[in-house]
Amino acid sequence: MLRIISFFSIVIFLMINIYHYNVSYEAIKLEKKIYKIENEIFDEQNRETQLTTEWAIITSPKNLEKLADRYSKSLNLKPVTGNQILINSQNKDEIN
Amino acid sequence: MSKSKIYNKIIVGDDIQHLLVNDQKTNKYSLSKDPITVGKERLKIALYFFVFFFAIFSVRNTFLSVFPGDVISEPQFSLALSTKKPLPDIYDRTGKNLLVTTFKTTRAAVVKRSSFNNFDVHKAANKLSPYLKEEPKELLERLLSGKYVEIANDISEKQQYDILNSGVAEVEFHKVWRRVYPSKSLASHILGHSNRDFDQKSSSGFERWLYKNEIKNNKINLSINLNIQNHLENIIENAITEYNAEASFGIVLNAKNGEIIALASFPNFDPNTVNNHSQSKTANQRFNRAIQGSYELGSVMKIFTLAMALEEERINLSDEFDVWKCINKNRKKCLSDYRKSKVQYLNAAQCLINSSNICMAQIAHIVGLETQKRFLSETGLLDEQFIELYEMGKPSLPERWNELSMEQISFGQGLGVVPLSFASAVAAVVNGGYLIEPTLYLRDKGYKTNAKLITSDVSKSMRYVMREVVKNGSGKKADVDGYNVIGKTGTADKPCITGGYCGRMTSFVGAFPGNDPEYVVLVSLDNPKGKKGVRGSSAYWNAAPAAGEIIKLIAPQLNIPIQNNFNVFQEHARADN
């Protein structure tokens, strides 16, 4: 009886150990993967910020002003005047 | 005896147990060395060990399977640098980017490792010097100074490419967080600047505010409107060159809730590159005149003298004053007006329209010294204002507030005020009497202040008089069709450091649309000179037209429709007559 119990406990013991080893090994692998993906996310975010910076530089008022000046004749561009604005006093706040 | 001993050791069995027991009494040393017992005891100990460890393992495993959440393991791999931005990005009220934080290669360093034994420093210095804009000799000295030498803090991508191509293998590049200001010098005095380490000593403006208050939001929307800021800066910059002024500043403020829509000061700086120059060299550019400075603004202060007298009900707009009178108390000379009036008696409204110093001094005498002090401190002009910047200036009060300084303050000399405080105080006069607090943050839609400076009737009267100033008086050039601009010009003598007065300061403070002002505009020029085709150098000739230009450009962008029927002032004028 004792032998059977000890045999089974040894088997269970070994199995548990193997399982535990596998789990921890997998966890390390997943950690590596997370690290890689985190890095990729960071690079991607960084690229995004660089693009937003570029976009902000391109669409900065000074830049747009230059373009507007250059093409004002051919496109017939003029500054907005007050006559062009028709707003009820009620929905004015919503627009602002 | 020796024979029996040997038997004891060899024979194993139950039948000799009694012999062993017997022997125990006679010789205990021989028994402890019995190999079977020893072996059994050792096995027992081993068994205990196994059972003990097995118990630990099984208990731990059971716990792990039942409560998997309590496993705490440090991740073996983590990013070398934090992925979180050190400071938030800043946007204007329309969602345009004012400030972006990027992770950029900006630092280059020469690292001498032991594996590079044959590193030729002289050669490297010669190769690197053209791309770093540095003399080879100086670079050589720096390279010899240590094992890790930082050769550049702020390199562009082109420089990085050049340095890589130069063939010095010991150069390493590091990425750091950088704050990029995409609109360059635009709104530079509001945003301020920060250096690569984000320490607060070398940062200024809103950046310093963020750093000091440890604001860690992802993004912040300021009350600034970038387009309007651009218009304001363009016009102010043009005014400087056109009228040959030394410096200037401008403010556009929401008169209802105190949001700062635009705030500019010239000369300004580019926050992207300002750290490359020394602090003392760029001190003039860094100085924010609209917030840090305090100036005697001149006749624009007459608004408060009149509003104060009306609020205290000491005078009416129709009360007449003798403007040919000689006021020479405490003075050698009589007080004079900028332009002498053609008629001897002017009513209170005409006093402001003609900008009469003599008249204002009389009104101040009627109201009294204490009331003037109290009223001006209520407006906030005598206190340090507080907005989201640390560089707020202090008003310069007269050393002794006596009758002479009371007279002077009534027409705008002798009291230096911070321009932003002044603009918000004027807003309180024209917006129906509500005191506002200027801010750089967006205010809630339902924001309302209850603190009152003057009654709405007095505010209405003030709007009427200020409309007359623009319609028929010195502010004529600031008028814009359809917006009924109200305002007041001011030409002040600038106090010298050495004493006395030298130079001039011209300002225009205005508000639009006139019957219910939504925005206050303040434009000031420091020491403008006359130009060709322009006779004078007073505010009528420079500050007022500049303000008019600004209002003409920005009013449509602020969604203000033109107002043709202008009932309020007509009614008021009728009642007045």
Side-chain angles (χ1 to χ4, degrees):
Chain A
M1 189 63 190
L2 196 77
R3 279 190 189 169
I4 296 167
I5 289 170
S6 32
F7 174 75
F8 272 109
S9 24
I10 287 166
V11 167
I12 290 165
F13 178 76
L14 283 175
M15 275 167 71
I16 286 168
N17 270 337
I18 290 164
Y19 175 73
H20 187 255
Y21 174 78
N22 274 342
V23 166
S24 55
Y25 193 74
E26 239 164 73
I28 290 168
K29 254 163 82 179
L30 284 175
E31 262 174 15
K32 270 186 191 170
K33 213 171 165 185
I34 288 170
Y35 167 71
K36 214 176 144 189
I37 289 168
E38 264 180 3
N39 257 338
E40 271 169 28
I41 290 170
F42 183 59
D43 283 350
E44 216 52 46
Q45 279 174 345
N46 201 19
R47 247 189 26 223
E48 194 202 316
T49 51
Q50 272 170 14
L51 288 174
T52 43
T53 318
E54 210 172 305
W55 178 248
I57 291 168
I58 291 167
T59 58
S60 75
K62 285 234 162 87
N63 225 336
L64 291 182
E65 205 176 55
K66 263 187 221 160
L67 289 176
D69 285 344
R70 192 188 294 168
Y71 298 109
S72 58
K73 259 189 191 168
S74 55
L75 293 173
N76 212 359
L77 298 172
K78 272 174 199 162
V80 184
T81 61
N83 294 325
Q84 290 164 275
I85 292 165
L86 291 166
I87 308 171
N88 292 331
S89 55
Q90 286 169 345
N91 62 13
K92 213 191 114 206
D93 290 337
E94 290 163 29
I95 291 164
N96 265 339
Chain B
M1 188 68 199
S2 65
K3 239 186 182 180
S4 72
K5 249 187 188 174
I6 295 160
Y7 278 122
N8 272 347
K9 277 171 189 166
I10 295 165
I11 299 159
V12 179
D14 287 336
D15 48 333
I16 57 154
Q17 269 296 322
H18 65 281
L19 290 175
L20 294 173
V21 175
N22 283 348
D23 262 23
Q24 248 177 354
K25 289 165 190 167
T26 53
N27 192 348
K28 49 184 175 183
Y29 297 107
S30 63
L31 271 175
S32 66
K33 282 173 184 171
D34 175 27
I36 298 160
T37 326
V38 170
K40 271 187 177 175
E41 272 171 7
R42 283 180 184 170
L43 266 177
K44 255 184 195 171
I45 290 166
L47 185 71
Y48 291 145
F49 267 109
F50 270 106
V51 167
F52 180 65
F53 283 113
F54 187 74
I56 289 175
F57 271 110
S58 42
V59 167
R60 180 69 179 145
N61 266 313
T62 320
F63 266 90
L64 283 180
S65 52
V66 177
F67 312 108
D70 74 335
V71 186
I72 301 158
S73 66
E74 289 289 315
Q76 295 193 352
F77 306 93
S78 64
L79 293 173
L81 274 141
S82 105
T83 47
K84 240 183 155 255
K85 290 175 180 177
L87 288 171
D89 288 354
I90 301 175
Y91 298 82
D92 80 335
R93 65 187 302 135
T94 56
K96 282 194 174 174
N97 242 321
L98 288 174
L99 226 172
V100 202
T101 321
T102 56
F103 196 56
K104 253 178 78 180
T105 305
T106 47
R107 224 176 279 184
V110 167
V111 186
K112 284 175 248 172
R113 297 193 195 286
S114 51
S115 54
F116 296 116
N117 279 329
N118 50 354
F119 175 46
D120 190 347
V121 187
H122 296 264
K123 219 171 170 184
N126 277 331
K127 273 181 181 171
L128 289 173
S129 63
Y131 308 119
L132 299 168
K133 289 166 194 160
E134 204 175 330
E135 286 294 307
K137 263 188 190 172
E138 288 169 23
L139 191 63
L140 183 66
E141 266 174 40
R142 274 170 60 198
L143 285 180
L144 288 169
S145 62
K147 277 197 169 175
Y148 180 93
V149 182
E150 206 177 285
I151 52 173
N153 288 333
D154 192 12
I155 55 167
S156 63
E157 277 172 26
K158 194 186 170 298
Q159 263 178 316
Q160 186 193 1
Y161 179 81
D162 286 339
I163 292 170
L164 272 175
N165 270 1
S166 71
V168 182
E170 285 78 8
V171 181
E172 282 183 5
F173 297 100
H174 299 282
K175 280 187 165 184
V176 283
W177 285 105
R178 274 292 308 275
R179 303 278 269 173
V180 179
Y181 308 79
S183 25
K184 285 170 188 162
S185 62
L186 210 57
S188 55
H189 280 112
I190 297 161
L191 293 173
H193 69 276
S194 66
N195 75 348
R196 58 181 181 134
D197 300 322
F198 305 109
D199 62 359
Q200 51 165 315
K201 262 188 191 170
S202 49
S203 62
S204 70
F206 196 69
E207 288 274 74
R208 191 158 171 214
W209 170 268
L210 287 179
Y211 186 86
K212 242 185 159 176
N213 289 286
E214 291 173 4
I215 294 163
K216 292 268 152 62
N217 305 16
N218 249 340
K219 60 182 259 186
I220 288 175
N221 279 74
L222 292 185
S223 62
I224 302 293
N225 186 327
L226 203 58
N227 282 331
I228 286 161
Q229 175 80 25
N230 186 38
H231 288 310
L232 180 68
E233 289 197 9
N234 279 348
I235 289 162
I236 281 179
E237 204 175 6
N238 288 344
I240 286 186
T241 46
E242 199 174 334
Y243 305 111
N244 206 2
E246 282 166 18
S248 71
F249 58 83
I251 297 169
V252 179
L253 188 73
N254 189 324
K256 293 270 165 77
N257 60 14
E259 287 172 353
I260 296 168
I261 306 296
L263 186 147
S265 166
F266 267 88
N268 63 359
F269 61 91
D270 185 352
N272 290 306
T273 55
V274 76
N275 273 323
N276 301 348
H277 312 291
S278 69
Q279 290 241 353
S280 53
K281 242 183 196 176
T282 52
N284 190 29
Q285 276 117 294
R286 284 171 204 242
F287 187 70
N288 189 347
R289 285 169 171 76
I291 285 173
Q292 277 174 283
S294 75
Y295 302 97
E296 294 177 14
L297 290 173
S299 307
V300 284
M301 288 289 284
K302 286 171 187 165
I303 294 168
F304 299 116
T305 310
L306 190 61
M308 170 176 62
L310 291 174
E311 169 68 12
E312 296 291 322
E313 292 178 346
R314 306 298 282 270
I315 59 160
N316 283 321
L317 279 185
S318 48
D319 283 1
E320 289 197 333
F321 294 92
D322 181 3
V323 290
W324 288 357
K325 197 176 164 186
C326 176
I327 295 176
N328 60 354
K329 207 177 182 183
N330 308 323
R331 276 191 201 84
K332 283 170 194 164
K333 274 196 304 182
C334 286
L335 193 64
S336 69
D337 281 346
Y338 184 71
R339 194 172 289 119
K340 204 187 171 193
S341 174
K342 279 166 195 156
V343 285
Q344 192 179 358
Y345 290 98
L346 292 176
N347 66 28
Q350 285 165 335
C351 279
L352 192 76
I353 296 161
N354 290 6
S355 196
S356 165
N357 294 346
I358 299 163
C359 178
M360 286 300 149
Q362 287 177 53
I363 291 175
H365 274 293
I366 291 171
V367 176
L369 197 150
E370 287 305 316
T371 317
Q372 186 191 40
K373 229 178 187 175
R374 204 200 65 230
F375 185 84
L376 287 178
S377 71
E378 268 174 33
T379 59
L381 287 174
L382 307 184
D383 307 315
E384 212 173 323
Q385 274 277 356
F386 176 79
I387 61 161
E388 290 78 11
L389 300 172
Y390 283 105
E391 295 98 1
M392 288 305 294
K394 281 181 195 151
S396 44
L397 307 178
E399 279 172 26
R400 275 167 55 221
W401 203 313
N402 50 23
E403 295 228 318
L404 175 69
S405 48
M406 179 187 82
E407 278 174 13
Q408 282 183 328
I409 288 165
S410 74
F411 52 84
Q413 300 283 172
L415 173 69
V417 293
V418 179
L420 184 65
S421 318
F422 178 77
S424 72
V426 170
V429 170
V430 297
N431 71 1
Y434 295 98
L435 279 166
I436 53 159
E437 283 171 28
T439 178
L440 279 174
Y441 282 119
L442 286 172
R443 283 257 155 86
D444 299 332
K445 265 186 188 152
Y447 178 85
K448 231 186 159 183
T449 53
N450 292 318
K452 272 219 155 187
L453 177 70
I454 50 173
T455 60
S456 47
D457 281 345
V458 175
S459 178
K460 208 186 246 177
S461 311
M462 286 309 297
R463 292 205 294 264
Y464 160 69
V465 180
M466 284 162 79
R467 174 65 192 151
E468 287 299 313
V469 172
V470 176
K471 220 166 151 187
N472 304 318
S474 56
K476 236 181 243 175
K477 285 183 185 275
D479 203 7
V480 179
D481 271 352
Y483 286 111
N484 302 309
V485 179
I486 62 174
K488 177 83 190 78
T489 55
T491 309
D493 292 325
K494 227 171 53 171
C496 283
I497 307 162
T498 50
Y501 288 98
C502 53
R504 275 183 160 174
M505 182 121 184
T506 62
S507 347
F508 179 85
V509 62
F512 66 93
N515 48 356
D516 183 20
E518 302 215 12
Y519 296 97
V520 168
V521 177
L522 171 66
V523 179
S524 245
L525 292 166
D526 192 346
N527 214 1
K529 286 122 201 152
K531 63 161 190 171
K532 258 188 190 172
V534 168
R535 273 187 293 152
S537 62
S538 67
Y540 174 83
W541 295 103
N542 41 55
E549 245 177 286
I550 291 166
I551 293 167
K552 198 178 171 188
L553 266 174
I554 68 172
Q557 293 206 8
L558 290 164
N559 285 329
I560 297 172
I562 60 164
Q563 291 143 351
N564 288 320
N565 48 342
F566 199 43
N567 298 325
V568 182
F569 293 124
Q570 283 160 6
E571 272 171 28
H572 201 104
R574 240 178 277 138
D576 207 49
N577 290 332

